[in-house]
Amino acid sequence: MIHMRAFTLIEEARLAFLTQKGITYTLVHITATGFQKSILDATNPMREYFLENGIHDYEQQKQGTTNKIQVDTKILTNCEQVQTITSFYRPETKKGDPRLWVYNVKKYCTPDDILAFTFFEDCLYVLNITKSDIIADYNNPQSNPIKDLIYEIEKQLTTVADELLSKISIFANEWIRVDVEADTGIGRTIERLLGIPMNSAKDPDYKGIELKSARPKTTRTTLFSKTPDWTISACKNTQDILAKCGYITAEGRLSYRNTLVCNIPNSQGLFLYLNGIDNHLEIKKKQDQINTDIAVWQLKTLHETLKRKHAETFWIATNTRQSYGYTEFQITEITHTRKPIVTQFDYMLEQRRISVDLLLGRGSHGDTYAFKLKKGGVPLLFPAPRVYSISGI
């Protein structure tokens, strides 16, 4: 499990703001024990962030105090920029579980606070998400350390998708009839209009840009679909899952169709479990107070899939109507994102903003293991989303 309490609404708003501004970060929860002992566990999302940003690789670090690594760090408040260091180490005890500590951070936090770490221009920055009103700091007309950092990172973010926006603008304000009356009808129609062949579901749609369309009442959007890793799963294929968990439909077919979230069993007893020790996302079945292993994904594989599928994405919002027995849609807005924050993926699974739909035993329709993002989750998973009104393109 990831050691992270649920965010407050204020903290969530502040994290969403950072993400909107293009700040990539990793988070740590200051527990009472960690505060007292000056020890923070480096969770898997933290280790991945440090590795991806070239800060530190715990896998290459030997145990013991003599092998500590120190990184230049600044603790930011709205009135101070405190120069300090962060120490990365693996103790001699046990298995040398990855640890870290920011020197002097106790002066700027209390137990149960959540801190954000972000790396920029060879320096690690620390912000107290619980205590610092970073939104007010940014909007303050006067210069301050938090505002200055966000502004400098914003300046480096330049993203364009003029060609695709130009193509979509041709259909501005038009009502378009869907090619097929299905959940995927709008997406397939947009792809045809743009001259995009049917997606293989593995790679982005348009020259590296993924297209995701949503109807007005859509509450979740599919991020990607990924089959479990059968080599490390208790069930070795979909048929094994159906044998253990499936049910007979009205059509007489053995099927399984339901949504899975972390730690809360669904109506058939299945739930997701984040195994932070093995870096796995697991499907388990709770029955008679016993949890049975079903299937496993490696978190690293899910992260790579997310990064590949959503390196750059247009999230297309639409209105729909019925006309002469057909569905028509109108494109209203496009949210443009780049480079998901993969460390956020695990947090959002744990906080049930990302769920998994199992659609198994569907015959010719194929079996699907769909990872879905709850409505409103885009600003938490993707930095600096840009929103275009289609009429204004």
Side-chain angles (χ1 to χ4, degrees):
M1 290 292 293
I2 300 170
H3 304 296
M4 182 70 62
R5 63 165 171 78
F7 303 137
T8 66
L9 292 177
I10 292 175
E11 289 167 345
E12 189 169 286
R14 290 169 180 170
L15 290 172
F17 179 79
L18 285 179
T19 307
Q20 290 166 6
K21 293 299 180 182
I23 313 297
T24 61
Y25 54 82
T26 186
L27 302 172
V28 65
H29 175 211
I30 305 295
T31 63
T33 301
F35 185 86
Q36 180 182 4
K37 295 184 177 181
S38 298
I39 294 173
L40 296 176
D41 291 328
T43 62
N44 185 59
M46 296 177 72
R47 298 196 300 272
E48 285 199 18
Y49 181 85
F50 298 145
L51 180 61
E52 287 181 0
N53 286 275
I55 303 168
H56 181 59
D57 184 357
Y58 278 103
E59 293 294 326
Q60 303 301 318
Q61 186 174 25
K62 296 180 180 180
Q63 293 177 233
T65 57
T66 58
N67 296 303
K68 282 186 177 181
I69 301 294
Q70 296 182 334
V71 174
D72 288 337
T73 303
K74 293 178 181 178
I75 303 171
L76 300 187
T77 72
N78 64 349
C79 59
E80 286 188 90
Q81 178 173 275
V82 181
Q83 186 72 49
T84 184
I85 57 173
T86 297
S87 177
F88 300 96
Y89 61 98
R90 297 178 60 202
E92 294 280 6
T93 57
K94 299 181 180 179
K95 298 180 181 179
D97 293 335
R99 303 280 175 78
L100 74 150
W101 185 251
V102 182
Y103 292 97
N104 296 321
V105 76
K106 283 186 177 182
K107 297 179 182 179
Y108 304 93
C109 69
T110 56
D112 209 37
D113 285 356
I114 289 178
L115 306 183
F117 293 76
T118 187
F119 192 68
F120 181 66
E121 294 187 343
D122 299 322
C123 183
L124 190 63
Y125 291 85
V126 181
L127 295 84
N128 189 324
I129 295 302
T130 304
K131 289 187 167 57
S132 294
D133 190 347
I134 60 175
I135 300 175
D137 295 336
Y138 181 83
N139 292 323
N140 189 329
Q142 301 298 319
S143 176
N144 62 73
I146 291 177
K147 176 181 180 177
D148 294 346
L149 174 66
I150 297 173
Y151 179 75
E152 287 301 315
I153 294 175
E154 274 189 295
K155 284 200 306 184
Q156 289 194 4
L157 294 175
T158 56
T159 60
V160 293
D162 291 341
E163 179 181 330
L164 184 54
L165 284 170
S166 177
K167 285 178 175 289
I168 294 176
S169 69
I170 296 173
F171 313 110
N173 303 315
E174 288 187 19
W175 285 98
I176 305 164
R177 179 181 294 181
V178 297
D179 291 347
V180 291
E181 294 290 340
D183 291 341
T184 58
I186 293 177
R188 290 170 61 176
T189 305
I190 292 174
E191 289 178 1
R192 177 184 60 78
L193 292 171
L194 295 173
I196 300 171
M198 188 172 293
N199 196 353
S200 67
K202 293 183 179 180
D203 299 309
D205 294 302
Y206 185 87
K207 298 181 180 181
I209 299 179
E210 177 73 5
L211 301 179
K212 285 293 180 183
S213 58
R215 298 171 187 251
K217 295 183 179 180
T218 299
T219 59
R220 296 181 303 144
T221 301
T222 301
L223 286 169
F224 58 84
S225 293
K226 189 66 179 177
T227 303
D229 187 338
W230 302 123
T231 63
I232 56 175
S233 297
C235 293
K236 297 305 179 183
N237 50 50
T238 297
Q239 292 306 311
D240 280 355
I241 295 180
L242 288 172
K244 287 188 176 183
C245 310
Y247 52 84
I248 303 298
T249 65
E251 296 82 16
R253 177 179 293 158
L254 182 62
S255 300
Y256 187 92
R257 303 179 190 182
N258 210 335
T259 298
L260 281 63
V261 298
C262 270
N263 305 324
I264 299 178
N266 63 19
S267 54
Q268 283 94 30
L270 292 194
F271 65 97
L272 302 175
Y273 173 73
L274 270 171
N275 180 341
I277 297 175
D278 297 321
N279 299 327
H280 290 166
L281 176 65
E282 302 172 355
I283 300 176
K284 291 181 177 291
K285 182 175 182 179
K286 187 177 185 67
Q287 189 172 19
D288 299 328
Q289 303 304 311
I290 297 175
N291 293 335
T292 303
D293 294 333
I294 300 298
V296 174
W297 292 271
Q298 294 189 56
L299 284 171
K300 181 179 180 180
T301 300
L302 297 178
H303 296 167
E304 290 299 324
T305 302
L306 176 65
K307 288 192 292 185
R308 182 180 67 249
K309 189 71 171 177
H310 291 286
E312 190 166 6
T313 304
F314 274 20
W315 308 83
I316 303 173
T318 67
N319 284 328
T320 60
R321 71 181 185 186
Q322 293 296 312
S323 177
Y324 299 102
Y326 293 95
T327 299
E328 294 181 337
F329 68 93
Q330 183 183 57
I331 300 173
T332 59
E333 187 177 86
I334 296 171
T335 300
H336 180 200
T337 62
R338 296 181 73 245
K339 295 183 178 180
I341 306 171
V342 294
T343 53
Q344 280 292 93
F345 181 81
D346 300 5
Y347 295 128
M348 295 178 75
L349 276 166
E350 188 177 48
Q351 301 207 4
R352 295 184 282 279
R353 285 185 170 271
I354 294 176
S355 53
V356 179
D357 280 6
L358 301 192
L359 303 174
L360 311 180
R362 300 193 300 165
S364 60
H365 294 286
D367 300 311
T368 302
Y369 301 80
F371 286 75
K372 295 201 171 187
L373 178 67
K374 195 173 181 179
K375 188 174 183 179
V378 168
L380 292 172
L381 189 58
F382 297 89
R386 300 179 64 183
V387 180
Y388 307 99
S389 172
I390 189 66
S391 60
I393 293 179

